[in-house]
Amino acid sequence: NAFAEPAPIMAVLHRTFIARLSRLKGKTALVTGSTSGIGLGIAKALARQGANIVLNGFGDVDGPRAEVLAAGQAAGAQVAYHGADMSRVADIEDMVQYSVRNFGQIDILVNNAGIQHVARVEDFPPERWDSIIAINLSSAFHTSRLVLPMMQAADGGKGWGRIINVASVHGLVGSAQKSAYVAAKHGIVGLTKVTALENATSGITCNAICPGWVLTPLVQKQVDAKAEQHGISNEEAKKLLLGEKEPSMQFTTPEELGELAVFFCSPPAANVRGVAWNMDGGWAAQ
Ligand code: NAD
């Protein structure tokens, strides 16, 4: 029966295909703020490579969990979820312990959770400032300080780990009305450099990704505000937003950012340390 067994050549091709799919098999990635947008895109890309994923974030969990499971199915990735509020240190500690209980180790840490608020400095509500600094900056310090000791013990004490901080082009340049966000993102680029330097002789790298505009719920709010402010359509508001800052006139996608995260986790990226890597359609080149 010709259909009972795959032909040998097919079996080899199948094994090669699965091996190429499973470059992160056996690794565990904790991705903060991964129930939506960029975090979800990165979680799916890492799962596609076989990494087990700990999801985190607010809102619907079943939908994102199903998407990540589907992305990682062929490579056998497992998915867990913890609802830590990244502004609360005790929650972050609990999430790290939960991840280790579930998967034994955290090998890849993606600090992605973030929020935005737009107002001039003199009008900026102090409690919004505090939340943005806590969620967009301090949470990355807490996850990193908790995860680094286990990364340093990995690979027989030589250390292995990947820390990817989702900063922003606003980690490199400013924009009016975004004081807390720009301060937090410049801060996380600094934290990235120091973390990279402190682990530079080990297998642990730390790098930042600096996206320009990505059409996620975080940015859709700013598109809606522009549409209302100028009495224009959603499409016109998107063009206006891109035209102000992004020479390519294109949004970067969560899928593209996911593939950059996969590259940072790959062997050829072993000596990429402490960079702030833009994917911004030329925004910061101006
Ligand atoms: P998003 O609103 O789609 O997703 C944010 C995620 O963070 C969600 O899962 C949300 O539930 C989670 N989150 C928010 N507050 C949280 C908290 N206190 N605790 C735990 N989770 C929390 O936004 P996004 O655009 O995907 O943003 C993700 C990251 O990318 C942010 O750090 C953002 O600053 C950065 N970024 C976004 C853009 C863009 O254009 N969208 C550009 C540059 C950088």
Side-chain angles (χ1 to χ4, degrees), residues 33 35-38 58 84-86 112 135 167 181 185 211-212 214 216-217 219:
T35 50
S36 166
I38 295 171
F58 299 149
D85 178 340
M86 297 306 291
N112 165 79
I135 296 165
Y181 189 86
K185 295 300 186 181
V214 186
T216 65
V219 163

Side-chain angles (χ1 to χ4, degrees), residues 110-170:
V110 182
N111 290 308
N112 165 79
I115 57 167
Q116 176 65 284
H117 185 82
V118 181
R120 290 173 61 86
V121 171
E122 61 273 26
D123 302 325
F124 215 92
E127 61 283 1
R128 296 302 289 167
W129 171 277
D130 287 345
S131 319
I132 290 177
I133 299 298
I135 296 165
N136 296 19
L137 176 58
S138 302
S139 73
F141 159 69
H142 292 297
T143 51
S144 299
R145 76 178 167 80
L146 294 165
V147 162
L148 274 166
M150 64 184 114
M151 288 182 172
Q152 286 156 355
D155 197 15
K158 285 189 282 182
W160 197 92
R162 294 287 185 265
I163 300 181
I164 299 169
N165 292 325
V166 179
S168 164
V169 74
H170 285 119

Side-chain angles (χ1 to χ4, degrees), residues 32-36 55-62 64 81-88 91 113-115 135:
T32 71
S34 44
T35 50
S36 166
L55 292 172
N56 158 259
F58 299 149
D60 174 37
V61 177
D62 291 342
Y81 166 81
H82 192 285
D85 178 340
M86 297 306 291
S87 66
R88 299 165 67 102
D91 280 19
I115 57 167
I135 296 165

Side-chain angles (χ1 to χ4, degrees), residues 251-261 279:
F251 290 100
T252 301
T253 66
E255 291 71 26
E256 289 163 348
L257 294 161
E259 290 307 317
L260 180 55
M279 236 194 205

